[in-house]
Amino acid sequence: MVSFLSVVHDRLYAWYQTNGRHDLPWRQTDDAYRIYLSEIMLQQTQVKTVLERFYFPFLKRFETLQSVAEAPLDDVLKAWEGLGYYTRAKNLHHTALTCQGVLPKTPEELGGLKGIGKSTAHAICAFAYRQALPILDANVKRVLCRYFALHVKNENVLWQKAWELLDTKRPFEYNQAMMDLGSMVCTSKNPTCNACPMKLTCQGKTYPENYPQNIKKPKIPIKKRFVSVVICEGKLGLIQRKERLLHGLWGFVQTDEKPEGRFLGIVRHTYSHFKLELEVFQPGCCTKTFDGWFDEEEIASLALSTVDKKILRCWRSMMMKSIVSNTD
């Protein structure tokens, strides 16, 4: 007798064969490093951005996890530049060093490495080693909440349901299909339930918007600070950041107190939890101790955050205006 679960699996598998994103490069390899890299990059970034701008350039620079381990952290951060959430790059480098360039093959060992959570560990094992393990990314969580009519995204309950629904015979295809289903059909807004291969047994299909219940996000606060762009003998003074968000990156000095000097402009940048508004000044003199002095060519080889690149462009723009003004 055919179980309802096997019918669900067969329908999901057939849907994936026809509609799945088979052309994604990390789905066309069993190289654990390439799969791990894609999982880390995709944690906070959309597939399109990773695919078009970062995945292949990073692999060109670091072909193996061993090459990551052998490189200085500054080089890894430079290759990650623009992708944001730089803790991911630091964890990648730390993991490469810890496992000496060779990823372990069990979820328990992988989960003990810095920056690799349970779902990422399961993903590596399921996709690289074809182990029968479920994953729980944001899309899968939404599918599970609707399928089982769960109002709240409780991690323990979701893992229980993920194991319950898992296709142990085809874990690779099942997990990829669940992610694609959440991304393409069971979307957060306006899901197309009629196109869903799991619609016959889905408990939340009547009111999918009720699962899970959305928590109203608080208004994003605006932080206002000041920046000092200090130049001496043609070189700019930079510090290497130590705070968690941008640790290891080079940048300009930010303060809460307005510095004396020439006003250059305002730079704005949006992070996930707050917006930053910076008034940029060029002081006539500065007693601040810098970690290094660099000309523009040297700065190009350093790893800078997006906001510090905006500050640099602001300074350049004002310098060009001054040159034009002086030549008129």
Side-chain angles (χ1 to χ4, degrees), residues 51-313:
L51 190 60
E52 293 181 355
R53 295 175 51 198
F54 295 102
Y55 185 69
F56 290 114
F58 194 92
L59 284 174
K60 185 176 181 180
R61 174 63 181 84
F62 300 106
E63 294 184 6
T64 64
L65 191 60
Q66 182 61 40
S67 64
V68 175
E70 292 171 354
L73 175 59
D74 280 352
D75 288 1
V76 178
L77 289 171
K78 180 64 179 176
W80 202 269
E81 192 176 56
L83 190 54
Y85 298 94
Y86 292 93
T87 301
R88 294 180 294 174
K90 288 170 54 191
N91 289 339
L92 172 66
H93 186 255
H94 187 277
T95 288
L97 289 170
T98 303
C99 67
Q100 299 180 332
V102 180
L103 287 169
K105 295 186 178 182
T106 68
E108 294 78 15
E109 290 179 290
L110 283 165
L113 295 169
K114 202 166 185 178
I116 298 182
K118 184 176 180 179
S119 184
T120 300
H122 280 209
I124 295 169
C125 289
F127 302 152
Y129 311 131
R130 298 302 196 267
Q131 295 178 20
L133 298 166
I135 67 169
L136 271 186
D137 77 346
N139 285 318
V140 175
K141 287 179 180 180
R142 186 168 56 256
V143 173
L144 290 174
C145 281
R146 287 172 174 168
Y147 186 78
F148 291 103
L150 304 173
H151 286 286
V152 181
K153 288 190 286 187
N154 180 288
E155 288 290 316
N156 291 332
V157 174
L158 284 169
W159 275 115
Q160 178 187 339
K161 296 301 183 183
W163 278 106
E164 185 179 318
L165 197 59
L166 175 66
D167 184 347
T168 57
K169 294 180 180 179
R170 296 170 294 209
F172 177 91
E173 290 81 2
Y174 167 82
N175 282 309
Q176 301 287 10
M178 288 288 282
M179 289 192 295
D180 283 356
L181 195 67
S183 175
M184 301 161 63
V185 175
C186 194
T187 52
S188 58
K189 295 180 180 178
N190 303 315
T192 52
C193 295
N194 289 334
C196 180
M198 299 166 66
K199 63 184 178 182
L200 294 180
T201 49
C202 178
Q203 298 175 44
K205 62 185 176 184
T206 305
Y207 299 104
E209 63 277 3
N210 291 346
Y211 311 101
Q213 291 181 343
N214 292 321
I215 300 174
K216 189 175 181 180
K217 294 182 179 180
K219 186 178 180 180
I220 298 177
I222 299 176
K223 292 184 179 180
K224 295 186 178 183
R225 303 196 76 197
F226 303 93
V227 176
S228 294
V229 179
V230 180
I231 186 167
C232 182
E233 297 181 358
K235 294 195 174 187
L236 294 166
L238 301 180
I239 58 169
Q240 194 165 28
R241 303 199 183 283
K242 296 178 174 59
E243 64 268 28
R244 186 182 64 84
L245 187 63
L246 300 173
H247 186 93
L249 299 182
W250 291 88
F252 296 96
V253 175
Q254 293 184 21
T255 60
D256 293 320
E257 295 182 4
K258 183 177 179 179
E260 297 291 335
R262 178 187 179 193
F263 176 71
L264 301 181
I266 294 177
V267 165
R268 296 179 177 87
H269 190 71
T270 301
Y271 293 99
S272 58
H273 301 300
F274 68 94
K275 293 181 179 180
L276 186 62
E277 186 175 289
L278 300 168
E279 291 188 29
V280 185
F281 289 83
Q282 183 175 324
C285 61
C286 186
T287 58
K288 169 74 180 178
T289 301
F290 295 92
D291 295 320
W293 294 87
F294 307 92
D295 59 30
E296 290 195 63
E297 185 176 343
E298 292 168 328
I299 288 177
S301 66
L302 300 177
L304 268 69
S305 70
T306 301
V307 70
D308 283 296
K309 286 188 172 183
K310 289 180 179 180
I311 295 167
L312 186 61
R313 287 197 295 270

